[in-house]
Amino acid sequence: MSPAYPFDEAATARAVVDAHGVLVEWNEGARRLLGWAPEEVLSKPAANLLVDGAQVALPEEHRSNGTLTLRHRDGHAVTVWVLAHHRTPQEGGDWLLVTPLEADVPRAGTDPLDRARLVQSPCAIAIYDDRLRLHSINDAMAHALGVPGERVLGLRISEIGGRPQSAAIEEQMLGVLRTGRGHDVKNYVPMDGEGRVHAWLARMSPITDEGGQVHGVCVAAHDFTEQYRARQRLQLVNEASMRIGTTLDVTRTAQELADVCVPSLADFVSVDLVDPPGNGGELPIGPLTVPAALRRVAHRSVRPGHPDSVVPAGQCEVYPAASPQGASLLSGQPIVVARASGDLEKWLAWHPELSRRVALLGIHAIMSVPVRARGVTLGVAVFTRFEQPAPFTPDDVLLAEEVTARAAVCIDNARRYSRERETALALQRSLLPRTLARTAAVQAASRYLPAAR
């Protein structure tokens, strides 16, 4: 027992196996299941408990489940279903193995938990008893948890989820059990293999009998991931509108674009622009021709020192049509390449050093978005992911286009201002006299003063 869970924990058989397959924890429930005392199994290979001495194969996923045939202390075989959680390095990096022992405990026919019926609805519902162990679950909740519903009966939610968020939800459930008052909790957890965060609203309510005594907790989970992601995108667009274009400086504006998008949208962002034409000329309308020579104006990385950048700030690089930058400049549309689709190496074949750096840093997704304003292509912004495990989605592409378009207008305004300022300065200098008369008694000077009216 513990203050966080003041009930008998022996209703679950729990064991912890380290990265070398050695047992490091063994609770009373595990002793009840297999008969072995802790001192008999701890610090010994977990494979010793498998029938026929089979090896323990630890999966690579965060969580997995399956059936194991184990050896009881008296020699007979025990077949059990086991749920395994891979803990994070902060939690020890080992494996927690759990299996319920009291999933089929008979209850009275008037049990309030049995009267709390689970309907066939898209709402995920689970019923927990007065010890916060799973009593019943519907298909929607089993699908949300990613486990077979009939197997996890009798487990605690912290044993089913295996994440710090699950333990936090269990604490809230304990409060509902003690106070008899409902409670809502928002939970943000990675729920798929790509590491995308899913947002859930867990609505907890007490289950009472006719006398008002609390016998359990009902948890109804509502997925609001799409609303959560839409709010994040809107927040980034709003932030971009406030932070991009604070000055009429091209370099500063490009840097603001990179700063806003890291780390909200990408782990590394670079902005390459076309050098302005000489003699006050303007860039042509429409997409650029390739190969295109672009100058690195700004970049930003989640890592200090920008180790992800192959091109230093201020250097010019020529991008061919076979590069993501060249393809997006030529088409005028965003280009997304990913390692998962197998086309990342093909797109980087033109630059061996960049290909080597991409492999070294673990970059798995690149998105190239043309910087265009008023029909003119000013350059390209490249978004890269290596720490965020999820690839770029169509919504990410739309978001990158929206933010880049806002920055493009500001960059174009800064360029137009710079060009007009240079023109005005040249005009002013041309109006000043080239030489002034020199006299012994008078010191002459000249300046340009525009008329007020």
Side-chain angles (χ1 to χ4, degrees):
M1 293 186 181
S2 66
Y5 185 76
F7 307 110
D8 181 17
E9 296 190 3
T12 300
R14 300 163 59 100
V16 176
V17 180
D18 66 14
H20 304 288
V22 176
L23 281 165
V24 295
E25 290 185 26
W26 188 262
N27 79 334
E28 176 61 21
R31 187 200 64 77
R32 287 174 51 190
L33 177 66
L34 297 179
W36 301 95
E39 60 272 13
E40 296 177 299
V41 294
L42 291 180
S43 301
K44 296 180 181 179
N48 293 349
L49 298 178
L50 296 178
V51 172
D52 300 328
Q55 295 295 318
V56 176
L58 298 177
E60 298 181 358
E61 296 84 3
H62 164 74
R63 183 179 64 184
S64 63
N65 64 86
T67 302
L68 293 178
T69 303
L70 305 175
R71 185 166 54 89
H72 196 275
R73 190 174 187 277
D74 62 13
H76 73 273
V78 179
T79 301
V80 296
W81 177 84
V82 176
L83 183 61
H85 302 282
H86 191 191
R87 291 171 168 174
T88 63
Q90 293 77 12
E91 298 173 299
D94 45 30
W95 284 87
L96 170 65
L97 310 178
V98 298
T99 188
L101 300 181
E102 301 179 4
D104 299 322
V105 177
R107 296 178 177 269
T110 58
D111 193 324
L113 299 180
D114 291 329
R115 291 191 289 110
R117 299 184 180 276
L118 302 179
V119 297
Q120 294 181 349
S121 72
C123 181
I125 301 175
I127 304 297
Y128 292 84
D129 63 16
D130 54 4
R131 295 182 303 165
L132 297 184
R133 296 191 174 276
L134 184 62
H135 173 269
S136 53
I137 184 174
N138 71 347
D139 293 341
M141 179 65 84
H143 177 74
L145 294 174
V147 294
E150 70 279 0
R151 292 290 192 176
V152 293
L153 299 181
L155 290 181
R156 297 159 50 189
I157 191 171
S158 59
E159 296 168 336
I160 299 172
R163 297 180 183 273
Q165 297 93 331
S166 304
I169 289 179
E170 187 173 69
E171 291 183 14
Q172 301 293 337
M173 292 171 58
L174 180 60
V176 174
L177 190 66
R178 287 172 169 172
T179 64
R181 295 192 297 269
H183 190 65
D184 292 349
V185 177
K186 291 182 178 179
N187 197 15
Y188 307 92
V189 293
M191 294 286 290
D192 53 30
E194 295 178 343
R196 286 196 184 92
V197 172
H198 282 233
W200 293 87
L201 173 63
R203 316 205 77 153
M204 308 173 190
S205 58
I207 299 175
T208 60
D209 58 17
E210 296 179 354
Q213 183 177 355
V214 179
H215 288 264
V217 178
C218 174
V219 179
H222 305 270
D223 187 351
F224 68 102
T225 302
E226 291 305 318
Q227 295 89 331
Y228 167 72
R229 292 175 180 170
R231 187 166 61 249
Q232 282 189 313
R233 293 191 293 268
L234 183 61
Q235 181 178 352
L236 180 57
V237 171
N238 182 60
E239 186 178 359
S241 65
M242 293 187 296
R243 293 178 54 185
I244 298 177
T246 58
T247 65
L248 286 172
D249 180 83
V250 173
T251 302
R252 179 59 188 165
T253 303
Q255 188 62 54
E256 289 169 346
L257 167 60
D259 293 344
V260 164
C261 295
V262 176
S264 300
L265 184 57
D267 300 314
F268 176 75
V269 175
S270 63
V271 182
D272 296 351
L273 300 179
V274 183
D275 286 335
N279 303 321
E282 295 189 4
L283 294 173
I285 300 294
L288 293 180
T289 58
V290 291
L294 304 180
R295 189 173 302 279
R296 175 62 51 84
V297 179
H299 52 217
R300 175 69 181 273
S301 173
V302 294
R303 297 174 177 174
H306 310 293
D308 331 283
S309 179
V310 177
V311 180
Q315 180 174 313
C316 193
E317 183 75 20
V318 177
Y319 295 101
S323 65
Q325 294 91 335
S328 63
L329 289 173
L330 188 60
S331 65
Q333 300 295 327
I335 297 294
V336 179
V337 295
R339 187 179 301 278
S341 60
D343 55 0
L344 183 59
E345 291 78 7
K346 178 190 69 175
W347 281 101
L348 299 179
W350 67 281
H351 199 311
E353 172 60 22
L354 178 59
S355 181
R356 186 191 67 82
R357 186 72 64 87
V358 165
L360 181 64
L361 295 173
I363 294 174
H364 62 84
I366 295 176
M367 174 171 53
S368 179
V369 180
V371 180
R372 303 179 72 248
R374 302 179 177 95
V376 177
T377 301
L378 306 174
V380 64
V382 178
F383 304 81
T384 304
R385 283 184 177 177
F386 46 85
E387 289 194 357
Q388 298 183 45
F392 290 112
T393 65
D395 287 335
D396 293 330
V397 176
L398 293 176
L399 180 59
E401 285 187 290
E402 172 69 19
V403 176
T404 303
R406 289 172 179 262
V409 173
C410 296
I411 291 174
D412 188 51
N413 289 340
R415 278 194 166 182
R416 290 172 181 267
Y417 168 78
S418 298
R419 184 173 65 250
E420 293 174 1
R421 183 174 182 274
E422 290 296 327
T423 302
L425 290 176
L427 177 61
Q428 293 172 15
R429 286 191 294 267
S430 69
L431 294 175
L432 295 175
R434 295 183 179 274
T435 60
L436 295 173
R438 294 184 179 182
T439 62
V442 178
Q443 183 178 2
S446 66
R447 68 165 177 163
Y448 174 84
L449 185 62
R453 297 181 182 177

